[in-house]
Amino acid sequence: MIDNKIQAGKRGLHRVVFGRTVVVLLLLLLQAGSLFVLFSWLSDYTVFIYTAVTVLSVVLVVHIINRDISSSFKIAWLIPVLAVPVMGTLFYVFLKSQIGSRVINKKLRGMIQETAPYLKQDSEVARSLRNESDEVANLARYIDLYGGYPAYRNTEVTYFPLGEDKFEEMKRQLETARKFIFLEYFIVEEGLMWDSVLEILKRKAKQGVEIRFMYDGMNSLVRLPYDYPKEMVACGIQCKMFAPVRPILSSSQNNRDHRKILVIDGHTAFTGGVNLADEYINKKVRFGHWKDTAVMVKGDAVKSFTMMFLQMWNISGLAPESYTRYLRTELNFPRPPKGYVIPYGDSPLDNERVGELIYLDIIQHARHYLHICTPYLILDDETDTSLRYAAKRGVDVKLILPHIPDKQYAYLVARTHFPGLIRAGVKIYEYMPGFVHAKSFVADDDRCTVGTINLDFRSLYLHFECGVFVYDNPVVADVEADFQATLKNCRRITLADCKEYPFAKKLAGKALRLIAPLL
């Protein structure tokens, strides 16, 4: 028995040392080292080269200051450009001259144009929403015109306060599939959750159900074999990796597919924070109890999730897509569902911050209360100011964050925001049993959003994301009830706690905050 364990340990060590992950990291480090040597050589080789780069850095500073980007990103780039002009300037030029992101953006724009005819706003729905609320109608108009996703009625929304709840319903709904299943997830790892889902998918594939499965390429580093798509195809499952990680320094590697989408037969969709790995259903303990949330959407609004998936899938597609075959006629509910549902996607490549602007709209229009769950709190000035102002004008602003963080650097940066927010009247709580991975906003008993978007720069600026905004629907009360239930397991952070926080950690957080947008 002991010998078997030793041999298993040796095999595991062999996979780590000689696996693809280590090779990729070594090649990336080699490229980074080569660039460092090149930059150092150029800075010392001649006065002419150094002077030329210095002039370029001055031009670059003016360019960065005048760019239409967040001031936090401007500061994060100005520091290296001014501190080490040669390396900072050449590194900036190197990253911004990459064509990978532009190619992906061009393909995605093409896919959005192709699906636009199937995502037209119903004028009657828009008119009805306008009669009920001008401010929500204005938000819906923005999401439609700049995000490409309309508002819907005739849609039921079910809220899941834990990943375990979503998992059980997800399996039940998968069993009902007759035509197609689409899955798009950020994290997939073999274990109870994924193995259970995969068993259903294999069985459905044998029954003739079309299955498409897409996951982010980061999984190939540690979670799944690089040739995993071939294994899936052998099981009758169409499979793609989004942006496979390659040993090439490129800015496009920074834009990950952080979405979590499941669509079944065009009538049912899931989204939220729950990925396909055992920690999300508390079958594997990583950071104490894992608190996550998700929603199931049934009805007309599922069309947006169907098209959202096909847009991403066909970025690397060659054959023309037959979109109409994945559209479903309207569901007839025994009692028409109340309210409005707006699924939305967000791309980091189009300079339109759909996810953040939806969050800001909820913050700025909150009148009585605003309750937020988020795993991270790395804010730009606009969001920070909006939260403070909401509290100052009398809104009950409460945030729930993890007590046991999964990323120490992110927690250190989050702590730098605490004092200013608390002094403004924002109430900050930590979930004592463990880690909060939920991403939800709920306000005034009439609106909420649940999705994949964290309150950090990666989600708001660098990743592909999605969510669903809900207005005047019973699910809003469910989200608020769960927030109140979760609050009972939380501890409120005070200014005294902030003062007692170790000085070294405060200093580290402030230093990291300078480059937070680049992390």
Side-chain angles (χ1 to χ4, degrees), residues 135-136 139 143 342 344 354-372 383 386-387 390-391 393 395-397 439-451 453 467-471 476 479:
E135 62 188 43
V136 177
L139 174 61
I143 298 173
I342 314 175
Y344 58 90
V354 175
E356 183 176 33
L357 290 175
I358 291 172
Y359 282 175
L360 287 171
D361 191 271
I362 298 173
I363 296 170
Q364 292 163 2
H365 286 102
R367 294 166 295 169
H368 306 296
Y369 76 81
L370 169 66
H371 296 159
I372 299 171
T383 306
S386 294
L387 287 170
R393 57 187 171 85
V395 178
D396 175 40
V397 181
K439 309 99 167 40
S440 63
F441 277 52
V442 59
D444 295 344
D445 292 335
D446 65 2
R447 71 199 67 188
C448 71
T449 184
V450 177
I453 307 175
V468 58
F469 176 87
V470 182
Y471 175 69
V476 177
V479 177

Side-chain angles (χ1 to χ4, degrees), residues 114-128:
E114 280 191 14
T115 56
Y118 310 102
L119 294 172
K120 291 183 177 180
Q121 177 63 66
D122 184 288
S123 58
E124 183 182 342
V125 173
R127 184 164 48 251
S128 174

Side-chain angles (χ1 to χ4, degrees), residues 268-510:
T268 302
F270 289 79
T271 193
V274 182
N275 281 296
L276 299 175
D278 283 355
E279 59 263 38
Y280 294 89
I281 57 172
N282 286 293
K283 291 300 181 182
K284 177 167 61 174
V285 178
R286 294 188 63 200
F287 310 102
H289 183 263
W290 193 288
K291 164 65 179 174
D292 219 326
T293 59
V295 289
M296 177 176 68
V297 177
K298 279 182 171 288
D300 294 2
V302 174
K303 185 193 298 183
S304 283
F305 282 114
T306 303
M307 293 301 152
M308 203 181 300
F309 173 88
L310 290 172
Q311 288 166 1
M312 291 292 283
W313 178 272
N314 287 304
I315 286 177
S316 60
L318 299 176
E321 185 68 77
S322 176
Y323 297 103
T324 54
R325 62 184 293 200
Y326 302 109
L327 300 179
R328 184 181 174 88
T329 56
E330 292 185 0
L331 288 179
N332 294 316
F333 294 98
R335 180 179 298 176
K338 185 183 179 185
Y340 302 85
V341 179
I342 314 175
Y344 58 90
D346 196 3
S347 166
L349 306 176
D350 59 3
N351 296 319
E352 191 62 49
R353 299 173 295 147
V354 175
E356 183 176 33
L357 290 175
I358 291 172
Y359 282 175
L360 287 171
D361 191 271
I362 298 173
I363 296 170
Q364 292 163 2
H365 286 102
R367 294 166 295 169
H368 306 296
Y369 76 81
L370 169 66
H371 296 159
I372 299 171
C373 286
T374 179
Y376 314 115
L377 193 70
I378 304 178
L379 306 174
D380 59 14
D381 291 341
E382 192 173 4
T383 306
D384 188 281
T385 300
S386 294
L387 287 170
R388 295 191 195 198
Y389 178 56
K392 287 178 179 179
R393 57 187 171 85
V395 178
D396 175 40
V397 181
K398 291 188 176 82
L399 281 72
I400 295 179
L401 290 93
H403 177 64
I404 305 175
D406 67 331
K407 298 179 178 67
Q408 192 61 37
Y409 74 84
Y411 183 71
L412 292 173
V413 176
R415 294 286 310 208
T416 66
H417 291 283
F418 285 11
L421 291 170
I422 292 172
R423 279 192 290 267
V426 176
K427 304 176 186 73
I428 299 176
Y429 297 82
E430 289 188 353
Y431 181 65
M432 299 309 291
F435 181 61
V436 171
H437 191 252
K439 309 99 167 40
S440 63
F441 277 52
V442 59
D444 295 344
D445 292 335
D446 65 2
R447 71 199 67 188
C448 71
T449 184
V450 177
T452 68
I453 307 175
N454 300 316
L455 273 176
D456 67 0
F457 287 97
R458 297 209 64 80
S459 270
L460 297 174
Y461 290 88
L462 300 176
H463 284 165
F464 292 91
E465 303 280 1
C466 69
V468 58
F469 176 87
V470 182
Y471 175 69
D472 193 30
N473 182 290
V475 78
V476 177
D478 297 334
V479 177
E480 171 60 11
D482 180 48
F483 185 91
Q484 295 298 333
T486 305
L487 207 57
K488 295 177 181 178
N489 293 312
C490 295
R491 173 181 175 272
R492 184 173 173 180
I493 303 299
T494 65
L495 279 176
D497 295 322
C498 295
K499 292 177 181 177
E500 294 171 3
Y501 198 62
F503 174 78
K505 291 186 176 181
K506 289 181 183 177
L507 187 62
K510 290 178 180 179

Side-chain angles (χ1 to χ4, degrees), residues 181 183 194 197-198 200-203 205 209-213 229-240 313:
I181 299 171
L183 303 98
W194 173 235
V197 171
L198 183 57
I200 298 174
L201 297 180
K202 289 178 179 179
R203 185 157 31 86
V209 176
E210 178 187 352
I211 300 174
R212 302 192 196 187
F213 169 42
K230 293 181 179 179
E231 293 184 28
M232 294 297 98
V233 170
C235 300
I237 299 170
Q238 300 178 58
C239 185
K240 290 183 179 182
W313 178 272

Side-chain angles (χ1 to χ4, degrees), residues 166-182:
K166 182 231 178 171
F167 177 46
E168 294 304 318
E169 186 60 32
M170 178 183 182
K171 289 187 292 183
R172 282 192 286 269
Q173 295 297 326
L174 284 169
E175 293 286 6
T176 69
R178 296 293 179 267
K179 296 181 179 179
F180 68 89
I181 299 171
F182 295 159

